[in-house]
Amino acid sequence: MTLPVKLTGEMGAFRRDPLGMLERCAKEHGDLARIRFGLNRAVILSHPALVEEVLVTRNQSFRKNPATRRLGTLIGRGLLSSDGEAWRRQRRLTQPAFHRSRVNAMGEAIVDYAQRQLATWQQGETHDVHREMMELTLQIACKTLFGAEVAADMRVVREATRVVGEHFLSRLRSLLFLLPDWVPTPGNVRFARAVHQLDALIYRFIRERSEDRGDLLSMLLASDMSPTEVRDEVMTFFLAGHETTALALTWALYLLALHPSAREKLEQEAHAVLGGRAPTVEDVASMAYTRAVVDEALRMYPPAYLQGRQALLDLTVGGQPIQKGTTLLMSQWLIHHDARFYEAPWEFRPERWLDGSLARQLPRFAYFPFGGGQRQCIGNAFAQLEATLILACIAQRPRLALAPDQRIELQALITLRPKYGMRMTAA
Ligand code: HEM
């Protein structure tokens, strides 16, 4: 590891090009790169051993970083943005909803919704698969977690989530970040209206619930949480529970469109295992190649490409002093493309995951699309099952080719999105 170097003012570079800024800092300043991020001190950690120190070994010495806590204006103090004892209580309460047996029980709904959506794609038609995957995973999350149907609400949800996303983006990208949300700027007014629309939907889920269905919403309602706490939790899962999985699928479809031989192997596996019938949870164990495509897409285009923590006290990481208040940034994007851990890191090679030997020999945090330690993604198993089953359904449908005029550019916001969507034509 090289010596840390002091830099200043990377906020501007981050706003313009987050991935480029991360790559440059790691290249120029090594595994522990000290930067100035606006008024704050920050450190970019780009070695798995350092990530492990923060997320596992010394996790008690950190809390979520200010940018994540800022999301609290939307998701309140739900599981993703809370810390300490409040977080522990929420995690204990929600964890049973993601027990392996409960997740497996979601398989049927996942395949059902996927088949219905895919049936609307006619040969020769062009669809924005990013948008389609967002709508599909949102419907699945609402059904499996809250027992709610949202197909008729898609237009409102699409518009409100777009406004909310743009609000956080524009705040991250300007000094408005320093202004509270209640100052009635035009952007804040639009944001408040969008939150109100999403709230209306979430309170409908809560109102419509009468009996205990054993799902996440039932667990929340049966707890001693206040109505606001339940709302915060439902909003957290509503947002965290669909976009990342949709992105994993979108990037997998992009990679498959660029690599026809991988698409062929995917089809062969679907044919051999399913022979034309719909996939089930039991099939997933036999679909090693399909799972490897998901794993490799999550490596190359990690939907959560950056995680942050804030030091609660003076301490050391990698033997280097870190001052209280410093933000520690850990990037899946950087580590997943590091040639120290991956041969040909920029190449799409699902095969690398097939025999399990790479996964066994990698350092623990060389691959961490779902984070790790106590705060590892609670929806990890759900997301992997969902992505694998949906991909198995897609493998049985006509091939998808990238629309000829489709521009591909990464947009690294909170998640890693295709900036201009992902229009594809069913051949
Ligand atoms: C491919 C899909 C997904 C990816 C890549 C992903 C990624 C992540 C990552 C990296 C974290 C850790 C953040 C941190 O420690 O700072 C996280 C946390 C979380 N994820 Fe996911 N996620 C995915 C799907 C899901 C799904 C389907 C759900 C819900 C059903 C979900 C709900 C959450 C929640 C609530 C947390 C906060 C957990 C806690 O702090 O205890 N995620 N996710």
Side-chain angles (χ1 to χ4, degrees):
M1 290 177 209
T2 46
L3 275 180
V5 178
K6 200 146 196 148
L7 305 171
T8 52
E10 291 293 349
M11 185 68 114
F14 183 78
R15 280 188 212 130
R16 282 189 301 277
D17 176 14
L19 303 179
M21 182 284 257
L22 291 167
E23 284 169 13
R24 180 172 49 74
C25 289
K27 188 158 163 237
E28 290 175 1
H29 308 292
D31 288 337
L32 195 151
R34 292 179 193 271
I35 62 169
R36 230 169 235 294
F37 215 49
L39 302 174
N40 300 317
R41 257 180 251 276
V43 175
I44 301 169
L45 304 176
S46 39
H47 192 284
L50 301 178
V51 175
E52 184 167 1
E53 262 192 67
V54 174
L55 294 185
V56 182
T57 329
R58 291 163 194 255
N59 70 317
Q60 302 297 340
S61 307
F62 300 96
R63 65 171 178 175
K64 288 274 173 140
N65 59 319
T68 309
R69 280 184 282 118
R70 188 87 220 192
L71 284 175
T73 51
L74 175 63
I75 56 180
R77 286 185 291 273
L79 188 62
L80 189 71
S81 51
S82 61
D83 279 297
E85 201 35 57
W87 167 79
R88 215 178 314 282
R89 174 171 157 260
Q90 294 169 52
R91 182 91 190 197
R92 250 199 319 266
L93 216 133
T94 50
Q95 192 74 57
F98 296 91
H99 188 269
R100 171 66 62 186
S101 62
R102 281 222 57 87
V103 169
N104 283 346
M106 297 170 182
E108 216 171 300
I110 293 171
V111 172
D112 226 46
Y113 277 88
Q115 302 282 46
R116 241 183 292 161
Q117 178 118 352
L118 294 174
T120 65
W121 299 6
Q122 302 302 326
Q123 223 152 15
E125 273 181 10
T126 300
H127 290 270
D128 182 347
V129 298
H130 176 224
R131 182 163 156 176
E132 298 266 336
M133 291 299 118
M134 290 274 270
E135 296 192 358
L136 175 58
T137 54
L138 182 66
Q139 290 186 59
I140 292 171
C142 288
K143 182 69 185 177
T144 54
L145 305 177
F146 316 129
E149 290 292 345
V150 290
D153 306 294
M154 273 314 154
R155 203 185 51 74
V156 171
V157 172
R158 203 183 306 135
E159 180 56 18
T161 46
R162 186 187 65 73
V163 170
V164 162
E166 273 174 14
H167 174 78
F168 283 108
L169 178 66
S170 73
R171 293 185 73 103
L172 269 178
R173 294 195 167 168
S174 78
L175 289 173
L176 284 177
F177 197 48
L178 300 173
L179 274 183
D181 280 322
W182 50 260
V183 177
T185 61
N188 282 352
V189 171
R190 271 196 304 276
F191 174 69
R193 199 180 314 128
V195 173
H196 182 73
Q197 284 173 322
L198 293 178
D199 268 343
L201 195 65
I202 276 157
Y203 283 117
R204 192 186 86 202
F205 300 162
I206 297 174
R207 240 188 357 263
E208 282 174 359
R209 174 55 50 100
S210 46
E211 83 280 28
D212 184 348
R213 297 203 195 152
D215 62 8
L216 179 69
L217 183 56
S218 292
M219 285 176 197
L220 295 173
L221 290 173
S223 75
D224 59 354
M225 281 187 171
S226 71
T228 315
E229 287 173 321
V230 173
R231 175 266 175 211
D232 289 353
E233 220 62 81
V234 174
M235 184 70 96
T236 296
F237 279 92
F238 180 81
L239 294 170
H242 78 286
E243 187 189 341
T244 40
T245 315
L247 284 169
L249 282 158
T250 303
W251 291 119
L253 294 178
Y254 169 66
L255 289 162
L256 289 166
L258 295 187
H259 298 88
S261 65
R263 167 82 201 200
E264 201 165 314
K265 285 183 196 149
L266 191 77
E267 287 171 9
Q268 279 164 3
E269 184 173 86
H271 184 70
V273 177
L274 307 172
R277 66 171 169 79
T280 66
V281 171
E282 289 70 38
D283 295 318
V284 169
S286 326
M287 306 197 80
Y289 194 80
T290 313
R291 283 186 280 120
V293 168
V294 173
D295 291 344
E296 183 70 343
L298 285 170
R299 182 187 71 81
M300 289 195 73
Y301 295 102
Y305 70 98
L306 184 65
Q307 282 181 239
R309 293 291 188 271
Q310 189 173 34
L312 290 167
L313 46 124
D314 290 345
L315 74 162
T316 62
V317 171
Q320 306 283 340
I322 301 290
Q323 271 187 17
K324 177 179 172 180
T326 303
T327 294
L328 294 102
L329 298 171
M330 298 154 281
S331 169
Q332 284 83 350
W333 177 259
L334 287 180
I335 296 181
H336 287 186
H337 293 109
D338 192 325
R340 289 177 291 182
F341 312 114
Y342 296 98
E343 202 186 304
W346 298 96
E347 281 178 26
F348 176 60
R349 293 186 183 173
E351 287 75 10
R352 68 173 94 231
W353 300 106
L354 277 184
D355 69 358
S357 62
L358 175 63
R360 275 192 299 278
Q361 87 195 31
L362 279 177
R364 181 161 169 203
F365 281 88
Y367 183 71
F368 64 122
F370 295 100
Q374 276 194 317
R375 300 206 65 156
Q376 183 173 43
C377 177
I378 198 169
N380 174 355
F382 174 24
Q384 280 176 307
L385 176 72
E386 185 181 11
T388 308
L389 287 174
I390 294 175
L391 209 53
C393 293
I394 292 175
Q396 296 174 301
R397 311 272 317 167
R399 288 194 179 181
L400 296 167
L402 209 54
D405 59 344
Q406 178 64 62
R407 275 173 76 188
I408 300 294
E409 209 175 290
L410 293 174
Q411 189 178 38
L413 308 171
I414 299 166
T415 53
L416 197 60
R417 293 183 182 174
K419 185 167 182 184
Y420 302 104
M422 188 70 74
R423 278 174 306 109
M424 289 195 170
T425 308

